[in-house]
Amino acid sequence: MATFEVSGIAAISSKDNRYLKLARSLAQKKYRGQHGLFAVEGKLGVREALRWTLEPEFVLYDAARADEPEIAALVQQAALRCSRVFAVEPHLLAGVCQTENNQGIWLAVRQPAMTAADFIAAVGGRNIAVLDSLQDPGNVGTI
């Protein structure tokens, strides 16, 4: 377990834990929509999600990597904005992550509600490309 101090961290050691089940379900679009959440995986993704005004719901991190400075810093940062922080066994986190070699941290974030007017204001007159139902990511290069 971690050597740093963050209040509210709980350990998960069962694959049947409700947060792990929810996290695994977010790999499928229908459950992301149903729960109003999306997953952010990896150090950079989690850092960026915490930097913006996104609402974190819960954090899972690899208990075996808790002493890594970057993981420790991200867990502490996440705990300031999220009351559900869980240290999980490495094999359980691997079952949640979609990458082959996960980076030890995973975050569930509330999907932001944005109206068309909000979107236009956020874009601020810049040119953008909106990609919907992209089947082949290689096609992005064509655009």
Side-chain angles (χ1 to χ4, degrees):
M1 185 69 77
T3 57
F4 53 90
E5 290 297 318
V6 176
S7 62
I9 291 181
I12 296 177
S13 57
S14 170
K15 67 176 178 58
D16 296 322
N17 177 278
R18 69 182 178 121
Y19 288 102
L20 284 179
K21 286 181 178 181
L22 175 57
R24 286 190 300 267
S25 77
L26 295 179
Q28 296 179 26
K29 182 180 179 178
K30 76 176 189 176
Y31 294 113
R32 290 191 299 269
Q34 182 180 8
H35 296 292
L37 299 171
F38 67 94
V40 178
E41 187 177 330
K43 296 171 188 173
L44 178 62
V46 169
R47 185 180 316 107
E48 289 299 312
L50 293 172
R51 189 173 141 219
W52 297 99
T53 58
L54 299 173
E55 297 176 47
E57 284 291 313
F58 65 96
V59 180
L60 304 174
Y61 72 93
D62 184 338
R65 297 173 67 180
D67 290 330
E68 291 181 19
E70 196 170 6
I71 296 289
L74 287 170
V75 168
Q76 288 178 326
Q77 189 179 2
L80 295 174
R81 304 220 3 240
C82 179
S83 62
R84 296 180 196 100
V85 179
F86 301 101
V88 300
E89 298 296 321
H91 69 282
L92 295 175
L93 185 62
V96 169
C97 294
Q98 298 299 300
T99 55
E100 195 168 315
N101 297 308
N102 73 70
Q103 294 183 9
I105 193 159
W106 184 97
L107 175 68
V109 180
R110 175 94 14 227
Q111 292 179 359
M114 183 179 272
T115 66
D118 292 338
F119 181 74
I120 292 168
V123 170
R126 296 181 303 249
N127 292 327
I128 62 164
V130 177
L131 307 175
D132 184 32
S133 302
L134 187 65
Q135 297 295 313
D136 180 5
N139 290 336
V140 175
T142 305
I143 295 171

